[in-house]
Amino acid sequence: MSSSTVRTVTYDLLRQLGLTTFFGNPGSTEETFLKDFPADFTYHLALQEASAIAIADGYAQATGKPAIVNVHTAAGLGNAMGNLITASLNKTPLIVTAGQQTREMLLMEPWLTNVDSTMLPRPWVKWAYEPTRAEDVPAAFMRAYATAVQAPAGPVFLSLPLDDWDKPCNGPAVVRTLGHRVAPDLDRLKEFADILSGAKSPALIFGAAIDRGNGWADAVALAEKLNAAVFAAPASERTPFPEDHPLYVGGLPFATGPLSDRLKGHDVAIVIGAPVFRYYPYVPGPYLPEGMRLLHISDDPGETSRAPVGDSLVSDAVLATRALVELVKPGAAKATPAALPHRMAPHPACHPEDAPGGKDGVHTAADVFAALAEVRPDHCVLVEESPSNLADLHRWWPITEPQTFFTFASGGLGWNLPASVGIALGERDTGRNRPVIMIVGDGSFQYSLQALYTAAQSKLPIVYIVLRNGQYGILKSFAVLEETPGVPGLDIPGLDIVSLAKGFGCEAERISDLEVLKARVKAGFSGPGPLVIEVPITNDVPPLI
């Protein structure tokens, strides 16, 4: 009999793929997989599976490599689903594994069986599989890896019966290499380049794929060659272009009519690395202003096929942008676009004293952001989950370096706090050690609060700024737009943010004085672990669009 087991062959495969960092919350059906956990592997414990998924997502985005998440059969996968949706829309390569009951009992569906195991995570995984034979487990991991990293990247799922691991396996596993970038059809791209070169007023709309693919320099080169206005795609989860660049004119709104209005005056627009378009509130209007032609480039055929307007090309966003730089003609005669009034970019006159003031001694969110901008360290990574204050945040904290802004592509609360933990772990493991700050609303803070435990246990010097206005501000903004007064459950009094954070092992305090806040934040970036600061702000309700 072979001395190799399914477990030993699988762990050897994972070593060769560089997948030695696990995230999870173990259960009884996972313990056989984790038995005698190898000394050269690392396991990061999360106290709930939603946090485990998001921590792994943040880690994968920070390191640029896939990550493994281990959750507990059907119950754990159910807990994880909200953040699995976000990982899917983030296009993050994750290998999500869950234990399954013993094969000998599956027919009876005993307690904790994952019934129809491959169906539960759909449609939010690219591939879901439960190996037919124990000896197929290593090859299933290889296929899972290949599927996760190939374009469009995303999570995959393996259901693994708990009695498979000690079964004999004729190893070693077959390890394959593969490419993960899709080159453009050059003839089609030349057509796009000719259309852009002939435009009187082209607009470039860049999406998160530019940042994921390290394409800032290419995006800037294309914008400058065309002398074209640059927008960020609506609700972009990563910043695709320097927000202090003179050609940047802001993020597009995520509603049909307002988005069309923002694009007026442009005869051609090209969306690169984002959907067409990410909408949320229904505000009627045309998809595009009259007379505009839309072009679209994405490595995701699902995005290109469901776009309601535009001519599409399937390609890696950065490879296509780089090629367009060579193909388009210079646009020297075109006028440099003027900044729009609600441009999400810094203004030369922005100083803390210019920020709008609060009332009754309580500061506005803008006051807080202006103060934080004064003590912003070099190369700081910002993680954001304060949707009602996003416009003010970008005005006072413009993103000027690649891979320094992260938020959720799904809009589902509870991803960003644990993701900040994974991002900080990634900064540590890559040796970059960039400081990490998270801006989060008091409502958002509650969704994956358990992730603070992982941050504290790992001694990660993350600074959390919790804006305390005692309400779901974004929902009140929707209530104004939708004309729905009297909706219950939009106020959240009685929360003690400081006590909650201390209970998970973090340093925490409540600060209302902005000078004190600035000093504490500066110290927090070099502290021994996570620091949570609750900052009271006014309960103003900003406009949604």
Coordinates of all heavy atoms in Angstrom, one line a residue, residues 225-278:
K225 N -2.2 60.9 -23.7 CA -2.1 60.9 -25.1 C -3.3 61.4 -25.8 O -3.2 62.2 -26.8 CB -1.7 59.5 -25.6 CG -1.3 59.5 -27.1 CD -0.7 58.2 -27.6 CE -0.2 58.2 -29.0 NZ 0.4 57.0 -29.5
L226 N -4.5 61.0 -25.3 CA -5.7 61.5 -25.9 C -6.2 62.8 -25.3 O -7.0 63.5 -25.9 CB -6.9 60.5 -25.6 CG -6.9 59.2 -26.4 CD1 -7.9 58.2 -25.8 CD2 -7.2 59.4 -27.8
N227 N -5.5 63.3 -24.2 CA -6.0 64.5 -23.5 C -7.5 64.4 -23.2 O -8.2 65.3 -23.5 CB -5.7 65.7 -24.3 CG -5.7 67.0 -23.4 OD1 -5.4 66.9 -22.3 ND2 -6.1 68.1 -24.0
A228 N -7.9 63.2 -22.7 CA -9.3 62.9 -22.5 C -9.7 63.0 -21.0 O -8.8 62.8 -20.1 CB -9.6 61.5 -23.0
A229 N -10.9 63.4 -20.8 CA -11.5 63.4 -19.4 C -11.5 61.9 -18.9 O -11.8 61.0 -19.6 CB -12.9 63.9 -19.4
V230 N -11.2 61.8 -17.6 CA -11.1 60.4 -17.0 C -12.2 60.4 -15.9 O -12.1 61.2 -15.0 CB -9.7 60.1 -16.5 CG1 -9.8 58.7 -15.7 CG2 -8.7 60.1 -17.6
F231 N -13.0 59.4 -15.9 CA -14.0 59.1 -14.8 C -13.6 57.8 -14.2 O -13.1 56.9 -14.9 CB -15.4 59.0 -15.4 CG -16.0 60.3 -16.0 CD1 -15.7 60.5 -17.3 CD2 -16.7 61.1 -15.2 CE1 -16.3 61.7 -17.9 CE2 -17.2 62.3 -15.8 CZ -17.0 62.6 -17.1
A232 N -13.9 57.6 -12.9 CA -13.9 56.3 -12.3 C -15.3 55.7 -12.5 O -16.3 56.4 -12.5 CB -13.6 56.4 -10.8
A233 N -15.3 54.4 -12.8 CA -16.6 53.7 -13.0 C -17.4 53.8 -11.7 O -16.9 53.9 -10.6 CB -16.3 52.3 -13.4
P234 N -18.8 53.8 -11.9 CA -19.6 53.9 -10.7 C -19.4 52.8 -9.7 O -19.2 51.7 -10.0 CB -21.0 53.9 -11.2 CG -20.9 53.3 -12.6 CD -19.5 53.7 -13.1
A235 N -19.3 53.2 -8.4 CA -19.2 52.3 -7.2 C -18.0 51.4 -7.4 O -18.1 50.2 -7.2 CB -20.5 51.5 -7.0
S236 N -16.9 52.0 -7.8 CA -15.7 51.2 -8.1 C -15.0 50.7 -6.8 O -14.8 51.6 -5.9 CB -14.7 52.0 -8.9 OG -13.6 51.2 -9.3
E237 N -14.7 49.5 -6.6 CA -14.2 48.9 -5.4 C -12.7 49.2 -5.2 O -12.2 49.0 -4.1 CB -14.5 47.4 -5.3 CG -13.8 46.6 -6.3 CD -14.5 46.4 -7.6 OE1 -15.4 47.2 -7.9 OE2 -14.3 45.4 -8.4
R238 N -12.0 49.6 -6.3 CA -10.7 50.0 -6.2 C -10.5 51.2 -7.0 O -11.2 51.4 -8.0 CB -9.7 48.9 -6.6 CG -9.7 47.7 -5.6 CD -8.9 46.5 -6.0 NE -7.5 46.8 -6.0 CZ -6.6 45.8 -6.0 NH1 -7.0 44.6 -5.8 NH2 -5.3 46.1 -6.1
T239 N -9.5 52.1 -6.7 CA -9.3 53.3 -7.4 C -8.4 53.1 -8.7 O -7.3 52.6 -8.6 CB -8.6 54.4 -6.5 OG1 -9.4 54.5 -5.4 CG2 -8.5 55.7 -7.2
P240 N -9.0 53.4 -9.9 CA -8.3 53.0 -11.1 C -7.3 54.1 -11.7 O -6.7 53.9 -12.7 CB -9.4 52.8 -12.1 CG -10.5 53.7 -11.6 CD -10.3 53.8 -10.1
F241 N -7.3 55.3 -11.0 CA -6.6 56.4 -11.6 C -6.3 57.4 -10.5 O -7.1 57.6 -9.6 CB -7.5 57.1 -12.7 CG -6.8 58.0 -13.7 CD1 -6.2 57.5 -14.8 CD2 -6.8 59.4 -13.5 CE1 -5.6 58.3 -15.7 CE2 -6.2 60.2 -14.4 CZ -5.6 59.7 -15.5
P242 N -5.1 58.1 -10.6 CA -4.8 59.1 -9.6 C -5.8 60.2 -9.5 O -6.0 60.9 -10.5 CB -3.4 59.6 -10.0 CG -3.2 59.2 -11.4 CD -4.1 58.0 -11.6
E243 N -6.4 60.4 -8.3 CA -7.4 61.4 -8.1 C -6.9 62.8 -8.1 O -7.7 63.7 -8.0 CB -8.3 61.0 -6.9 CG -9.0 59.7 -7.1 CD -9.9 59.4 -5.9 OE1 -9.7 59.9 -4.8 OE2 -10.9 58.6 -6.1
D244 N -5.6 63.0 -8.1 CA -5.0 64.3 -8.1 C -4.5 64.7 -9.5 O -3.9 65.7 -9.7 CB -3.9 64.5 -7.1 CG -2.7 63.5 -7.3 OD1 -2.9 62.5 -8.1 OD2 -1.7 63.7 -6.7
H245 N -4.8 63.8 -10.5 CA -4.4 64.1 -11.9 C -5.3 65.1 -12.5 O -6.5 65.1 -12.3 CB -4.4 62.8 -12.7 CG -3.7 62.9 -14.0 ND1 -4.2 63.5 -15.1 CD2 -2.5 62.4 -14.4 CE1 -3.4 63.5 -16.1 NE2 -2.3 62.8 -15.7
P246 N -4.8 66.1 -13.3 CA -5.6 67.2 -13.8 C -6.7 66.7 -14.8 O -7.7 67.4 -15.1 CB -4.6 68.1 -14.6 CG -3.3 67.3 -14.7 CD -3.3 66.4 -13.6
L247 N -6.5 65.5 -15.4 CA -7.5 65.0 -16.3 C -8.6 64.2 -15.6 O -9.6 63.8 -16.2 CB -6.9 64.1 -17.4 CG -6.0 64.8 -18.4 CD1 -5.3 63.7 -19.2 CD2 -6.8 65.7 -19.2
Y248 N -8.5 63.9 -14.3 CA -9.5 63.2 -13.6 C -10.6 64.1 -13.2 O -10.4 65.2 -12.6 CB -8.9 62.6 -12.3 CG -9.9 61.8 -11.5 CD1 -10.3 60.5 -12.0 CD2 -10.3 62.2 -10.3 CE1 -11.2 59.8 -11.3 CE2 -11.2 61.5 -9.5 CZ -11.7 60.2 -10.0 OH -12.6 59.5 -9.3
V249 N -11.9 63.7 -13.5 CA -13.0 64.5 -13.3 C -14.0 63.9 -12.3 O -15.1 64.4 -12.2 CB -13.7 65.0 -14.6 CG1 -12.8 65.9 -15.4 CG2 -14.2 63.8 -15.4
G250 N -13.7 62.8 -11.7 CA -14.5 62.2 -10.7 C -15.1 60.9 -11.0 O -15.0 60.3 -12.0
G251 N -15.8 60.4 -10.0 CA -16.5 59.1 -10.1 C -17.9 59.3 -10.7 O -18.6 60.2 -10.4
L252 N -18.3 58.4 -11.5 CA -19.7 58.5 -12.1 C -20.7 58.0 -11.1 O -20.5 57.1 -10.3 CB -19.8 57.6 -13.4 CG -19.1 58.1 -14.6 CD1 -19.1 57.0 -15.7 CD2 -19.7 59.3 -15.1
P253 N -21.9 58.6 -11.1 CA -23.0 58.2 -10.2 C -23.5 56.9 -10.6 O -23.4 56.5 -11.8 CB -24.0 59.3 -10.3 CG -23.8 59.9 -11.6 CD -22.3 59.8 -11.9
F254 N -24.1 56.1 -9.6 CA -24.6 54.8 -9.9 C -26.1 54.7 -10.2 O -26.8 53.8 -9.7 CB -24.1 53.8 -8.8 CG -24.6 54.1 -7.4 CD1 -24.3 53.1 -6.4 CD2 -25.3 55.2 -7.1 CE1 -24.8 53.3 -5.1 CE2 -25.7 55.4 -5.8 CZ -25.4 54.5 -4.8
A255 N -26.6 55.6 -11.0 CA -28.0 55.6 -11.4 C -28.0 56.1 -12.8 O -27.2 56.9 -13.3 CB -28.8 56.6 -10.5
T256 N -29.0 55.6 -13.6 CA -29.0 55.7 -15.0 C -29.1 57.2 -15.5 O -28.2 57.6 -16.2 CB -30.2 55.0 -15.6 OG1 -30.2 53.6 -15.1 CG2 -30.1 54.9 -17.1
G257 N -30.1 57.9 -15.0 CA -30.3 59.3 -15.5 C -29.1 60.2 -15.1 O -28.5 60.9 -16.0
P258 N -28.7 60.2 -13.8 CA -27.6 61.0 -13.4 C -26.3 60.7 -14.1 O -25.5 61.6 -14.5 CB -27.5 60.8 -11.9 CG -28.9 60.5 -11.5 CD -29.4 59.7 -12.6
L259 N -26.0 59.4 -14.4 CA -24.8 59.0 -15.0 C -24.8 59.5 -16.5 O -23.8 60.1 -16.9 CB -24.7 57.5 -15.0 CG -23.4 56.9 -15.6 CD1 -23.1 55.5 -14.9 CD2 -23.4 56.7 -17.1
S260 N -25.9 59.4 -17.1 CA -26.0 59.9 -18.5 C -25.8 61.4 -18.5 O -25.1 62.0 -19.4 CB -27.4 59.6 -19.1 OG -27.5 60.1 -20.4
D261 N -26.3 62.1 -17.5 CA -26.1 63.6 -17.5 C -24.7 63.9 -17.3 O -24.2 64.9 -17.9 CB -26.9 64.2 -16.3 CG -28.4 64.2 -16.6 OD1 -28.8 64.1 -17.8 OD2 -29.2 64.3 -15.6
R262 N -23.9 63.1 -16.5 CA -22.5 63.4 -16.3 C -21.7 63.3 -17.5 O -20.6 63.9 -17.7 CB -21.9 62.5 -15.2 CG -22.2 62.9 -13.7 CD -21.5 64.1 -13.3 NE -20.1 64.0 -13.3 CZ -19.3 63.6 -12.4 NH1 -19.8 63.2 -11.2 NH2 -18.0 63.6 -12.5
L263 N -22.1 62.5 -18.4 CA -21.4 62.2 -19.7 C -21.7 63.1 -20.8 O -21.1 63.0 -21.9 CB -21.6 60.7 -20.1 CG -20.9 59.7 -19.2 CD1 -21.3 58.3 -19.7 CD2 -19.4 59.8 -19.1
K264 N -22.7 64.0 -20.6 CA -23.0 65.0 -21.6 C -21.8 65.8 -22.1 O -21.0 66.2 -21.3 CB -24.2 65.9 -21.2 CG -25.5 65.2 -21.1 CD -26.6 66.2 -20.7 CE -28.0 65.5 -20.7 NZ -29.1 66.4 -20.2
G265 N -21.8 66.0 -23.4 CA -20.6 66.8 -23.9 C -19.6 65.9 -24.5 O -18.7 66.4 -25.2
H266 N -19.6 64.6 -24.2 CA -18.6 63.7 -24.8 C -19.3 62.9 -25.9 O -20.4 62.4 -25.8 CB -18.1 62.7 -23.7 CG -17.4 63.4 -22.6 ND1 -16.1 63.9 -22.7 CD2 -17.8 63.7 -21.3 CE1 -15.8 64.5 -21.6 NE2 -16.8 64.4 -20.7
D267 N -18.6 62.7 -27.0 CA -19.2 62.0 -28.1 C -18.8 60.5 -28.1 O -19.5 59.7 -28.7 CB -18.8 62.7 -29.5 CG -17.3 62.8 -29.6 OD1 -16.5 62.7 -28.6 OD2 -16.8 63.0 -30.8
V268 N -17.7 60.2 -27.5 CA -17.3 58.8 -27.4 C -16.8 58.5 -25.9 O -16.1 59.4 -25.3 CB -16.1 58.4 -28.3 CG1 -15.6 57.0 -28.1 CG2 -16.6 58.6 -29.8
A269 N -17.2 57.4 -25.4 CA -16.7 57.0 -24.1 C -16.3 55.5 -24.2 O -16.9 54.7 -24.9 CB -17.8 57.1 -23.0
I270 N -15.3 55.2 -23.4 CA -14.8 53.8 -23.4 C -14.7 53.4 -21.9 O -14.1 54.1 -21.1 CB -13.5 53.6 -24.1 CG1 -13.1 52.1 -24.2 CG2 -12.4 54.4 -23.6 CD1 -12.0 51.7 -25.1
V271 N -15.3 52.3 -21.6 CA -15.3 51.7 -20.3 C -14.2 50.6 -20.3 O -14.4 49.6 -21.1 CB -16.6 51.1 -19.8 CG1 -16.5 50.5 -18.4 CG2 -17.7 52.2 -19.9
I272 N -13.2 50.7 -19.4 CA -12.2 49.7 -19.4 C -12.1 49.1 -18.0 O -11.7 49.8 -17.1 CB -10.8 50.3 -19.9 CG1 -10.9 50.9 -21.2 CG2 -9.7 49.2 -19.9 CD1 -9.7 51.6 -21.7
G273 N -12.3 47.8 -17.9 CA -12.1 47.1 -16.6 C -13.3 47.3 -15.6 O -13.0 47.3 -14.4
A274 N -14.5 47.5 -16.1 CA -15.6 47.6 -15.2 C -16.9 47.2 -15.9 O -16.9 47.2 -17.2 CB -15.7 49.1 -14.7
P275 N -18.0 47.0 -15.2 CA -19.3 46.7 -15.9 C -19.8 48.0 -16.6 O -19.5 49.1 -16.2 CB -20.2 46.2 -14.8 CG -19.3 46.0 -13.6 CD -18.1 46.9 -13.8
V276 N -20.7 47.8 -17.5 CA -21.5 48.9 -18.1 C -23.0 48.7 -17.6 O -23.7 47.9 -18.2 CB -21.5 48.9 -19.6 CG1 -22.4 49.9 -20.2 CG2 -20.0 49.0 -20.1
F277 N -23.4 49.4 -16.7 CA -22.7 50.1 -15.6 C -23.2 49.5 -14.3 O -24.2 48.8 -14.3 CB -23.0 51.6 -15.6 CG -22.3 52.4 -16.7 CD1 -23.0 52.8 -17.8 CD2 -21.0 52.7 -16.7 CE1 -22.4 53.5 -18.9 CE2 -20.4 53.4 -17.7 CZ -21.1 53.8 -18.8
R278 N -22.5 49.8 -13.2 CA -23.0 49.3 -11.9 C -24.0 50.4 -11.4 O -23.6 51.4 -10.9 CB -21.8 49.2 -11.0 CG -22.2 48.5 -9.6 CD -20.9 48.2 -8.8 NE -20.2 47.0 -9.3 CZ -19.0 46.8 -9.1 NH1 -18.2 47.6 -8.5 NH2 -18.4 45.7 -9.6

